[in-house]
Amino acid sequence: MKVSDVMTENVFTVTRDTPLRLVATRMLEYGVSGMPVVEDGRVLGVVSETDILFKERTVPERPTLSDWLAHYPDDPPRAKLEARTAGEAMTAPAVTTSPGRTVSDAAALMLDLGIDRLPVVSRGLLAGIVTRADIVRAFVDEGDVVALVEAGA
């Protein structure tokens, strides 16, 4: 089964200048947990609930240089803490996939990278999005097809 078989073609997107509060509002409105950030149909990045969650973090106090050096990798990215727009908060570059890639390859990529969605890009332009939910749905639907074949339907 190919990504094109399970992807959502009508994708909710934002631009890099979309205010982050509006992005959050749209995510809630549309019932999605992330949206590609696009410009002229090209995917620049993805802004997700995780990116917005950084807004609730604060920069930890590091009283000494050794504290700062020892814990620096654990600190939240300052740019995400201060982000006001989708472009400032997004994760970029976006990890993408193509419509012809197999669903199992897309699932493996999501698992390996710990991501929940992959914008689907064809000829450099956004063609759709595939999410973990799409892959779970395909798994269930494929099981229904297998059950029908086994039952002789």
Side-chain angles (χ1 to χ4, degrees):
M1 186 176 293
K2 302 289 183 194
V3 167
S4 60
D5 298 324
V6 301
M7 72 182 190
T8 300
E9 292 181 14
N10 296 324
V11 183
F12 298 116
T13 64
V14 293
T15 65
R16 75 171 78 215
D17 297 328
T18 304
L20 202 51
R21 284 199 188 279
L22 182 56
V23 173
T25 300
R26 286 186 177 161
M27 283 184 191
L28 292 172
E29 254 174 52
Y30 303 150
V32 298
S33 61
M35 301 165 75
V37 179
V38 299
E39 184 174 280
D40 298 325
R42 299 196 183 283
V43 178
L44 305 176
V46 173
V47 63
S48 69
E49 290 172 335
T50 301
D51 296 315
I52 294 172
L53 286 178
F54 276 108
K55 300 300 294 172
E56 297 301 320
R57 300 275 313 262
T58 57
V59 177
E61 290 193 32
R62 302 282 184 229
T64 66
L65 179 60
S66 60
D67 285 335
W68 189 84
L69 291 173
H71 298 286
Y72 177 75
D74 305 325
D75 288 351
R78 185 173 291 274
K80 289 197 187 266
L81 294 174
E82 298 172 354
R84 298 284 181 256
T85 65
E88 293 168 348
M90 71 181 176
T91 300
V95 178
T96 65
T97 191
S98 66
R101 195 166 191 178
T102 67
V103 169
S104 62
D105 284 346
L109 185 58
M110 287 182 194
L111 287 170
D112 291 347
L113 299 178
I115 56 179
D116 297 334
R117 71 204 52 78
L118 293 168
V120 181
V121 174
S122 178
R123 297 185 183 136
L125 300 175
L126 182 65
I129 194 162
V130 63
T131 66
R132 288 179 180 228
D134 294 325
I135 293 174
V136 170
R137 197 173 305 108
F139 173 77
V140 169
D141 291 346
E142 189 173 81
D144 290 344
V145 170
V146 170
L148 288 173
V149 169
E150 290 174 352

